[in-house]
């Protein structure tokens, strides 16, 4: 027999043109699920279901290379962190929902590429519908909103910077051209916030063609040349735009300054108030400074659900201020909400569960729709698999960004794809499908995901109340959502001492097989919050300026199973017992 080796490879490793591999694939998927459920139910003494069905389907068989190596892979994966369990409260990760898993799986089989309509006839439509569902939840008009799915919050934040820069660059380029033509001095700060109406008015008035505009654009021509021309036209050194980002920002913002060539100096950190939120007075001072320095504001970022603490910035008060400036001074400053984590909490509004939130938190979430762009991560509180983030704007005007030509992707009869308006090229439709199926089933309303979000916030509240009562050293940060952070401090003690104790307790939890927690350090941006917390127990800060970090243990209560009161009833006392043991442990003895 002269077997064609490629034929054997194809029949071993592909589902087959006539689906000859169907039985094989079904068996292996069944066996993989089997392996996974066995792991889940055996992982903790209390994680097996009472009526655990006997494992069904074929066990992973050792018959051939694929079967053997699949078994090796499944075995290796059992060393993964059991993030499905409510005992895991370390990071922004929990069990995936069924709509998340199944939507993902169904789309994965077809593997549409959402870079273009051509490569994704259905996937791209599902994406549009899923974006509309997210838009409605976030407070945008779903009929007008635009957006797309990204690999996560980092890229979604980059998408916002890209668009804000496109807008600022157009406005500044036009003003530069007019100033160079007229000889009137250029005010880069005012010009960079002029608004599209003023832009269109001036462009028509001066009859400026696009190629002339391009020659004045830092993004489209040479940034060094354009900055020199802005300096000349304004009569002072032009040092480029800045971004106002609160001190509790995610590190993706520093990456964005790097990627977009702004330089790290262009990130101006807005101080946090004693509750750990963007400090509005400090924000106002920084805007004044930017104006005085002739530095346009590329965007004002606020955070809804800070990565470390879950804090939600006062969007309503921030936007009242920006609205006022817009009316009185004509400044249109790009407003971005980094709601990668907290975006789904907005589903709690307008339902019975809204009362679970503090009124200020609800007011802040309600104002989200007044922003120019939003980042949200379905792969966090949306319970869909990685990698799935999303970027949204209220309308097509805000979504606009420089178009690039890729003729091989463009077939006019299929309509526009998204390839030219996304930073990423090939994009899976799986995250969009997972989000779509979630919207269609669980739903993004107050009675669906909103109700689930409410239980996560209630769990955090119950946890805090129980730990406070049982452990006098536990000193909690103010919390807006479902993340609890606490240090372990004694009355009148120096910060460095409580940091040592908190570290020892964290180390204890690191070794514990029962619970997983995380830790974080509040830095100089949180000076007001740290002072506030220290005054609560009469403690004092013995650390030097710039080294004033406060270590806290961080517990993320996003696991949906905590909503079961029997889980709370069982696990809260166990956690407290473990915390007490940690406080009495050998590390603590050494530290004392
Ligand atoms: C997680 C997070 C990000 C980054 O998202 P990735 O999906 O990890 O890229 C950005 N901002 C905030 C507030 C986040 O919590």
């Amino acid at each position: 027999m002269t077997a064609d080796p490629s034929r054997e490879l194809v029949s071993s490793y592909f589902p087959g043109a006539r689906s000859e591999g169907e039985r094989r694939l079904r068996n292996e998927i069944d066996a993989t699920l089997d392996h996974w459920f066995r792991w889940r139910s055996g992982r903790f003494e209390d994680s097996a279901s009472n009526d655990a069905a006997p494992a069904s389907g074929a066990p992973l068989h050792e018959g051939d290379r694929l079967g053997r190596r699949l078994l090796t892979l499944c075995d290796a994966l059992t060393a993964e962190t059991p993030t499905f369990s409510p005992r895991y409260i370390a990071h922004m990760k929990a069990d995936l929902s069924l709509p998340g898993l199944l939507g993902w799986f169904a789309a994965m089989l077809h593997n549409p590429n959402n870079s273009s309509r051509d490569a994704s006839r259905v996937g791209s439509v599902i994406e549009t519908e899923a974006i509309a569902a997210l838009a409605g939840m976030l407070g945008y008009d779903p009929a007008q909103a635009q957006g797309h799915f990204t690999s996560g919050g980092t890229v979604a934040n980059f998408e916002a910077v890209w668009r804000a820069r496109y807008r600022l660059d157009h406005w500044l380029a036009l003003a530069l051209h007019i100033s160079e033509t007229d000889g009137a001095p250029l005010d880069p700060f005012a010009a960079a916030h002029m608004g599209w109406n003023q832009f269109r008015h001036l462009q028509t008035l001066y009859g400026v063609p696009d190629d002339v505009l391009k020659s004045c654009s830092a993004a489209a021509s040479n940034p060094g040349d354009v900055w020199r021309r802005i300096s000349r036209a304004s009569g002072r050194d032009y040092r480029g735009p800045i971004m106002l980002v609160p001190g509790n920002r995610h590190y993706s913002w520093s990456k964005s300054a790097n990627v977009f060539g702004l330089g790290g100096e262009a990130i101006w950190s807005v101080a946090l108030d004693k509750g750990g939120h963007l400090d509005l007075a400090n924000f106002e001072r920084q805007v004044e400074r930017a104006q005085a320095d002739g530095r346009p504001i590329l965007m004002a970022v606020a955070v809804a659900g800070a990565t470390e603490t879950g804090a939600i910035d006062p969007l309503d008060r921030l936007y009242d201020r920006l609205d006022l400036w817009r009316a009185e001074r004509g400044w249109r400053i790009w407003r971005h909400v980094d709601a990668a984590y907290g975006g789904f909490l907005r589903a709690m509004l307008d339902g019975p569960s809204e009362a679970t939130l503090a009124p200020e938190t609800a007011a802040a979430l309600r104002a989200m729709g007044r922003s120019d762009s939003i980042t949200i991560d379905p792969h966090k509180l949306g319970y869909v698999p990685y990698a799935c983030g999303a970027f949204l704007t209220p309308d097509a005007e805000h979504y606009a960004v420089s178009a690039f030509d890729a003729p091989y992707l463009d077939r006019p009869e299929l309509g526009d794809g998204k390839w030219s308006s996304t930073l990423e090229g090939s994009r899976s439709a799986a995250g969009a499908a997972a989000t779509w199926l979630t919207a269609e089933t669980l739903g993004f309303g107050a009675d669906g995901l909103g109700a689930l979000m409410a239980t996560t916030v209630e769990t955090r509240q119950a946890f805090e109340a129980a730990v406070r009562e049982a452990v006098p050293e536990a000193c909690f940060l103010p919390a807006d959502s479902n993340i609890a952070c606490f240090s372990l401090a004694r009355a009148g003690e120096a910060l460095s001492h409580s940091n040592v104790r908190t570290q020892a307790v964290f180390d204890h939890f690191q070794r514990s097989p029962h619970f997983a927690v995380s830790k974080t350090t509040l830095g100089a941006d949180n000076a007001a919050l740290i002072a506030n917390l220290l005054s609560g127990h009469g403690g004092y800060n013995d650390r030097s300026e710039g080294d004033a970090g406060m270590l806290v243990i961080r517990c993320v209560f996003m696991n949906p199973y905590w909503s079961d009161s029997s889980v709370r009833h069982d696990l809260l006392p166990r956690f407290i017992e473990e915390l007490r043991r940690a406080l009495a442990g050998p590390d603590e003895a050494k530290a004392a």
Side-chain angles (χ1 to χ4, degrees):
M1 228 175 68
T2 56
D4 173 355
S6 78
R7 238 179 98 171
E8 200 181 317
L9 289 175
V10 171
S11 75
S12 301
Y13 295 127
F14 290 85
R18 296 191 188 81
S19 301
E20 299 89 334
E22 177 181 349
R23 178 178 298 272
R24 175 68 195 269
L25 183 57
R26 280 184 191 280
N27 282 343
E28 299 296 13
I29 287 175
D30 218 13
T32 303
L33 283 173
D34 216 56
H35 195 282
W36 186 60
F37 276 115
R38 277 177 209 273
W39 170 67
R40 290 170 59 111
S41 41
R43 188 63 181 70
F44 298 102
E45 77 266 28
D46 51 1
S47 64
S49 121
N50 292 330
D51 48 7
S56 62
L60 280 169
H61 68 100
E62 304 238 353
D64 63 3
R65 188 180 182 80
L66 180 56
R68 283 196 307 278
R69 302 312 281 163
L70 178 60
L71 179 59
T72 308
L73 178 63
C74 288
D75 282 343
L77 284 167
T78 60
E80 273 298 348
T81 309
T83 53
F84 68 86
S85 166
R87 291 163 171 279
Y88 179 85
I89 45 178
H91 293 287
M92 296 167 161
K93 198 165 181 288
D95 217 4
L96 300 168
S97 73
L98 291 180
L101 276 167
L102 294 170
W104 190 279
F105 187 78
M108 178 191 77
L109 292 175
H110 293 273
N111 198 28
N113 181 344
N114 274 359
S115 64
S116 75
R117 286 267 153 99
D118 201 0
S120 177
R121 284 158 198 262
V122 179
S124 55
V125 176
I126 287 174
E127 173 167 38
T128 305
E129 293 179 9
I131 288 292
L134 288 174
M137 183 197 62
L138 293 169
Y140 285 162
D141 173 1
Q144 296 297 318
Q146 300 279 316
H148 62 270
F149 284 81
T150 64
S151 66
T154 299
V155 173
N157 283 341
F158 289 5
E159 294 281 6
V161 179
W162 198 24
R163 283 159 176 85
R165 189 186 67 173
Y166 169 86
R167 189 175 95 162
L168 182 144
D169 182 69
H170 270 73
W171 298 352
L172 195 49
L174 181 64
L176 173 62
H177 170 74
I178 293 172
S179 166
E180 287 181 340
T181 316
D182 273 9
L186 172 67
D187 176 350
F189 186 90
H193 308 124
M194 71 167 69
W196 285 117
N197 285 344
Q198 175 73 353
F199 174 88
R200 282 187 278 266
H201 167 71
L202 290 174
Q203 192 179 23
T204 312
L205 190 67
Y206 285 82
V208 188
D210 282 347
D211 58 326
V212 172
L213 200 59
K214 241 179 173 166
S215 73
C216 301
S217 149
S221 80
N222 181 292
D225 288 345
V226 170
W227 283 26
R228 261 192 299 282
R229 285 163 61 191
I230 294 173
S231 300
R232 215 176 301 129
S234 64
R236 67 192 289 189
D237 260 357
Y238 179 63
R239 304 186 63 223
I242 57 114
M243 287 166 65
L244 291 175
V245 198
N248 55 3
R249 65 183 166 276
H250 186 263
Y251 51 75
S252 53
W253 291 104
S254 309
K255 288 185 189 171
S256 81
N258 193 318
V259 168
F260 285 93
L262 292 171
E265 177 274 342
I267 299 275
W268 286 16
S269 190
V270 180
L272 303 176
D273 63 19
K274 64 181 168 45
H277 306 110
L278 176 143
D279 181 318
L280 203 56
N282 184 266
F283 177 83
E284 290 177 14
R285 277 199 297 281
Q286 303 229 38
V287 172
E288 278 158 22
R289 179 157 74 97
Q291 188 198 13
D293 291 358
R295 311 270 314 258
I297 297 167
L298 181 57
M299 57 165 52
V301 179
V303 181
T307 315
E308 308 301 331
T309 63
I312 293 167
D313 285 335
L315 297 173
D316 50 332
R317 292 189 293 127
L318 176 66
Y319 294 167
D320 287 349
R321 167 59 54 193
L322 289 170
D323 282 349
L324 194 71
W325 282 337
R326 185 182 159 139
E328 287 180 352
R329 308 179 190 180
W331 297 346
R332 278 150 181 86
I333 296 173
W334 189 286
R335 315 160 174 199
H336 179 73
V337 189
D338 184 355
Y341 185 68
F344 286 101
L345 295 169
R346 204 177 182 286
M348 290 170 66
L349 298 186
D350 301 323
S353 57
E354 182 177 324
T356 312
L357 298 168
E360 313 85 74
T361 306
L365 290 172
R366 189 160 273 118
M368 211 181 273
R370 294 162 64 190
S371 60
D372 295 310
S373 55
I374 301 176
T375 287
I376 184 169
D377 264 350
H379 69 205
K380 287 177 178 163
L381 288 174
Y383 304 100
V384 312
Y386 295 126
C388 181
F391 169 74
L392 292 95
T393 64
D395 53 39
E397 191 174 76
H398 286 88
Y399 193 63
V401 77
S402 313
F404 292 84
D405 297 327
Y408 69 97
L409 282 174
D410 219 7
R411 300 242 315 269
E413 73 276 17
L414 293 165
D416 283 341
K418 292 226 182 256
W419 56 268
S420 67
S421 53
T422 60
L423 287 171
E424 292 164 281
S426 293
R427 289 183 310 114
S428 166
T435 306
W436 183 90
L437 194 58
T438 306
E440 292 288 316
T441 52
L442 182 56
F444 294 154
D447 55 350
L449 196 71
L452 210 56
M453 293 295 102
T455 68
T456 69
V457 178
E458 283 161 14
T459 302
R460 191 271 303 159
Q461 291 165 346
F463 171 84
E464 187 175 326
V467 172
R468 258 185 210 285
E469 190 179 305
V471 181
E473 288 93 339
C475 170
F476 280 85
L477 262 57
D480 298 335
S481 58
N482 52 21
I483 301 179
C485 293
F486 59 97
S487 66
L488 294 149
R490 290 195 180 136
E493 172 177 79
L495 178 60
S496 60
H497 285 150
S498 45
N499 276 351
V500 170
R501 184 178 304 106
T502 307
Q503 178 69 48
V505 166
F506 176 75
D507 291 343
H508 174 99
F509 274 99
Q510 283 292 89
R511 290 187 303 269
S512 155
H514 305 303
F515 288 95
V517 301
S518 54
K519 65 167 181 175
T520 188
T521 302
L522 304 179
D525 285 312
N526 267 305
L529 174 58
I530 294 173
N532 181 20
L533 292 166
L534 288 172
S535 76
H537 62 87
Y540 62 97
N541 196 339
D542 58 339
R543 312 193 64 188
S544 59
E545 194 93 23
D547 181 32
M550 175 185 272
L551 187 66
V552 291
I553 291 184
R554 171 173 170 270
C555 303
V556 180
F557 287 98
M558 64 177 276
N559 189 297
Y561 309 131
W562 280 99
S563 65
D564 181 341
S565 57
S566 70
V567 169
R568 274 190 218 174
H569 193 77
D570 180 34
L571 290 187
L572 283 182
R574 288 192 202 215
F575 183 90
I576 287 165
E577 194 188 304
E578 183 95 36
L579 181 57
R580 284 203 173 118
R581 226 177 302 135
L583 276 167
D587 292 281
E588 166 64 4
K590 255 183 278 156

